[in-house]
Amino acid sequence: MPDTADDLVGLVVMGGAMAAYEDFPGRNAELALLRAALDAEIPVLGVCLGAQLLAVAAGGAGRPGDGAQIGWADVWMTQAARSDALFAGVPERLRVLHWHGDTMDLPAGATLLASCDRYPVQAFRLGGSAWGTQFHLEVDETAVGAFADAFPEEAATAPGLIESAPAELAVLARHRDGVFKRFAAFVAARAEQTATRAFFTRRAATWEERFADDGPRYAVAVERMELRPGARVPDLGCGTGRALPALRAHVGDAGLVLGVDLTPAMLTAALRESRDKDGHLLLADVCRLPLPTAALDAVFSAGLINHVPDPATALREWARVTAPDGTLLLYHPSGRAERAARHGRPLDPDDLLAEHRLRPALRTADGTCPATRTLRTTSWPARPASPAEPAAHATGCGEPGMRNTVADNDRAG
């Protein structure tokens, strides 16, 4: 079982003979992984025991039922299921395979999607990316036979279980396959966002402590943007919002400062640091900003370009929301050489922040710096880097359009 959710883009937790409310080998690890997945908004599907564990991980409870529910029987979709990402299109009455004796109490905020008279909690959703089903939607004829072989005494309480399986599955299969295809498509469509959230969620609580010395470097980088009072500027991929105080100091009370991040845990950490006093915090994908064209005067981005799935798309989007003659500052508090040394590896010539790669990307970002224009480079004098005054270099387009600035913390980059 994974120790962390860092590398997950989706999580499916199946059933078993154990009880969600009793200890069993791996229970604590499963619950920890489910909680991490919920925190990072990783798509989750829990089935039977997996659904009960999902409910427990979110603050609900598993408990014994009033007896075993075995065999084919109806469940009824709720009104909420009609617009659900997975269950929309499933008929109001669906005949499914039940095989359980325990049940669960849902946590606050859960959405009930399917029910039946004996056990009201049959399917549910947590937030917008986690689902649980008490019934076994996943079965085919082989799985039904395996259940009966593994639990013959329980199977004997459901006469005709095996014999009726082909007819039952002939009706169920289309809806079964539809739900699972939609879940797979949901996972695939947001896999890149999920990977980013999973990576940063676990690190959010200690981010400020780990990078406590970066504040002065951020202030120097912001100063080089030459922002005017009243300007509109976001910190894209703001994390805990360390650049927001410096941005606010330059644009003043009349300016607009946004802290934009994809990871809720990072914005929660920003709130703990009271960074909302310096700017508005916005949960959004920096590659699909919910802003009109030319809405901003400048864009600040620290350490983000290497984390977006498609840097060219990101640069075009940032150009779109920036007014003509606006400024884009791509910044990293530690330079390429410093980061390579820290990780014990040589400089990577394919690193997007290498100038021979970054210049073409900036020139072609939404046509704001077409290749026919002259690209001018300005460098600050080389000097020893310090937290208060990092050495840096800048690259800019000298004609109207977006002025692109790259600040790095060592000249070797």
Side-chain angles (χ1 to χ4, degrees), residues 237-392:
C238 69
T240 57
R242 289 169 294 164
L244 299 188
L247 292 171
R248 174 58 68 191
H250 281 268
V251 306
D253 292 341
L256 172 67
V257 176
L258 296 174
V260 184
D261 206 276
L262 184 65
T263 304
M266 280 294 190
L267 295 182
T268 298
L271 285 171
R272 286 198 300 268
E273 298 295 327
S274 299
R275 299 280 160 68
D276 57 319
K277 295 179 180 178
D278 296 303
H280 302 282
L281 301 179
L282 176 64
L283 180 67
D285 181 356
V286 298
C287 298
R288 299 176 183 84
L289 291 166
L291 299 171
T293 298
L296 305 171
D297 299 300
V299 168
F300 179 90
S301 172
L304 176 64
I305 196 68
N306 293 96
H307 288 285
V308 296
D310 184 351
T313 297
L315 289 171
R316 286 194 297 270
E317 175 67 354
W318 303 348
R320 180 190 68 80
V321 299
T322 306
D325 297 313
T327 298
L328 166 63
L329 186 134
L330 303 178
Y331 172 73
H332 202 294
S334 57
R336 293 179 60 234
E338 179 184 336
R339 281 179 281 133
R342 185 167 65 236
H343 294 288
R345 62 189 182 214
L347 277 172
D348 181 4
D350 293 327
D351 186 348
L352 183 63
L353 288 179
E355 284 196 33
H356 70 277
R357 291 205 62 211
L358 187 56
R359 288 184 184 185
L362 292 173
R363 283 199 298 266
T364 58
D366 202 27
T368 54
C369 291
T372 54
R373 292 181 179 170
T374 301
L375 187 68
R376 296 206 298 258
T377 301
T378 305
S379 296
W380 280 272
R383 55 185 177 273
S386 69
E389 188 66 19

Side-chain angles (χ1 to χ4, degrees), residues 137-164:
L137 186 62
E138 80 283 3
V139 294
D140 57 14
E141 287 191 52
T142 300
V144 176
F147 274 41
D149 291 341
F151 307 103
E153 293 183 1
E154 294 179 355
T157 67
L161 172 73
I162 300 297
E163 294 77 8
S164 63

